[in-house]
Amino acid sequence: MSARFADPYLLLLLLVIPVLFAWRRRRGRARVLLIPYASSWAPAEPLARVNWRMAALYVAIALLAVAAARPQRIGSREEVISRGYDLVLAIDLSTSMLAEDYRGVSGPINRLDAIRPVIRAFIAGRPKDRIGVVLFAGHAYTFAPLTTDHDWLLTKIDALRIGLIEDGTAIGDGLGIALTNLESSRGNPLSTGAFIVLLTDGANTSGSLTPPQATAIASHRHVPTYAIGAGRNGMVPTPIFDDAGRRIGIRMQPSSIDTDALRTIATVTGGRYFRADDSRAIATAFAAIDSAKKADFKVRTHLVVTELFAWAALPAIALLLLLALPGLAPGLAWRRATNAGRPATA
């Protein structure tokens, strides 16, 4: 916030005041013929009234000069133009996600626990985006619709549990449900600004839509898919649970990620494929996606100018009107009447 004069050169009008003051002093020194006892003919005008009138006139002239220079208050207003993305996280919740081939701070952790904090950080870093979550295993369903309420979304991420869906790996159905969410939300699926993040640890084994079919639909609708293959291939440690859900041991089970299929999904749709066989690789994959599909934010600055001349002009006009009222200058009429009968100045 700052102030300025639009026409500062008009402040030179303030020079009228000293010029007027000097002229009055010069005029007051003129020699006149004094008549004895003339003061008894009529009451003289009080000196204070004369001084008040002249002071008011000087103030009015100063205010008019300031008003003519157009004082202004300058402020700026910023308008943020943002463009967010619509994205859907398609997350594999098959029982193979229980494999403990990742390492956490305190030891081995399963694949879901390894990706959960990375997903949370990814969501938190995209406050302007609408984000939804699709879960798939033996079939797929919408776990969270597209939303900007990321606090609520993070509570849903914390609630993810393996076993919510019957076992299997329906990658094609997961992509199909994600595309349906984007289409129903955006209205125009061919517009830019939407993408899918597919996270799985296996090959398609169930579902009604095959990965090639889902890939063709995503490509036709111009929706890039970023595929992340989580976990290691080969024999991996997997926990064993009894009928009551209590962990009773661990055993080695085979793990196989269909790398070729995931790479094809990413390439055909215009996305990228990431291999994430450790926690650091998962974080790197999400960071790369975040960097590639980050919304642009532009700030447009508007200059707001407030004219302040009225604050000076109105008091000046009021003072001039008061000075023009006859009742405020009773001595002036007397001076005019008596000056007509005075002898000429010497």
Side-chain angles (χ1 to χ4, degrees):
M1 190 75 66
S2 60
R4 72 177 184 186
F5 288 99
D7 303 308
Y9 58 89
L10 291 178
L11 290 174
L12 293 173
L13 293 174
L14 291 172
L15 296 175
V16 172
I17 296 175
V19 171
L20 181 60
F21 181 77
W23 175 78
R24 279 187 55 82
R25 285 181 61 85
R26 180 180 179 85
R27 180 173 175 271
R29 292 174 181 171
R31 298 173 61 188
V32 297
L33 179 64
L34 298 178
I35 302 176
Y37 308 109
S39 60
S40 62
W41 297 355
E45 183 178 10
L47 182 61
R49 176 173 295 172
V50 176
N51 291 341
W52 179 88
R53 284 176 53 79
M54 292 311 302
L57 180 61
Y58 292 153
V59 171
I61 293 174
L63 289 173
L64 286 176
V66 171
R70 290 178 56 199
Q72 298 173 334
R73 183 173 64 241
I74 308 300
S76 61
R77 181 181 63 192
E78 290 187 347
E79 178 183 352
V80 179
I81 305 172
S82 62
R83 178 178 59 87
Y85 281 95
D86 284 344
L87 66 103
V88 176
L89 301 170
I91 302 173
D92 187 350
L93 278 194
S94 59
T95 55
S96 58
M97 291 289 286
L98 287 171
E100 297 178 346
D101 50 356
Y102 284 93
R103 192 157 196 87
V105 176
S106 58
I109 56 174
N110 64 44
R111 295 168 177 176
L112 178 59
D113 289 338
I115 67 171
R116 195 195 310 272
V118 181
I119 292 176
R120 285 182 55 87
F122 180 76
I123 293 173
R126 306 182 69 93
K128 298 297 182 182
D129 293 346
R130 292 197 304 172
I131 303 176
V133 177
V134 167
L135 304 180
F136 65 91
H139 58 276
Y141 76 99
T142 300
F143 185 64
L146 286 166
T147 180
T148 56
D149 187 352
H150 292 177
D151 289 337
W152 172 81
L153 189 60
L154 290 175
T155 63
K156 299 290 286 183
I157 295 297
D158 290 338
L160 288 179
R161 297 290 182 271
I162 296 172
L164 294 175
I165 315 172
E166 66 184 46
D167 200 18
T169 308
I171 296 175
D173 284 0
L175 286 176
I177 296 296
L179 289 167
T180 299
N181 275 269
L182 291 172
E183 182 177 9
S184 61
S185 175
R186 297 179 65 87
N188 182 6
L190 299 180
S191 62
T192 60
F195 66 96
I196 297 171
V197 178
L198 171 66
L199 196 147
T200 182
D201 68 344
N204 191 82
T205 60
S206 60
S208 57
L209 192 66
T210 66
Q213 291 172 330
T215 300
I217 297 172
S219 177
H220 177 71
R221 296 179 179 176
H222 303 285
V223 179
T225 299
Y226 292 81
I228 301 176
R232 294 188 176 94
N233 285 322
M235 302 300 292
V236 295
T238 305
I240 304 172
F241 300 91
D242 61 16
D243 293 339
R246 293 186 297 265
R247 179 171 176 153
I248 58 175
I250 193 168
R251 64 184 174 189
M252 302 298 290
Q253 286 190 331
S255 172
S256 177
I257 301 172
D258 194 344
T259 300
D260 292 338
L262 295 180
R263 183 176 285 109
T264 298
I265 292 172
T267 302
V268 172
T269 60
R272 286 180 60 188
Y273 169 69
F274 302 91
R275 184 74 177 89
D277 54 1
D278 58 37
S279 299
R280 182 178 300 177
I282 291 180
T284 300
F286 273 97
I289 296 170
D290 184 60
S291 176
K293 306 297 290 185
K294 201 73 170 183
D296 296 327
F297 298 94
K298 298 179 180 179
V299 178
R300 181 187 300 163
T301 302
H302 300 275
L303 196 63
V304 180
V305 179
T306 304
E307 296 285 351
L308 303 176
F309 69 91
W311 291 92
L314 293 179
I317 293 172
L319 283 174
L320 293 175
L321 290 175
L322 287 173
L323 292 174
L325 291 177
L328 293 178
L332 186 58
W334 172 83
R335 282 178 179 272
R336 289 173 181 170
T338 55
N339 285 343
R342 286 183 178 179
T345 58

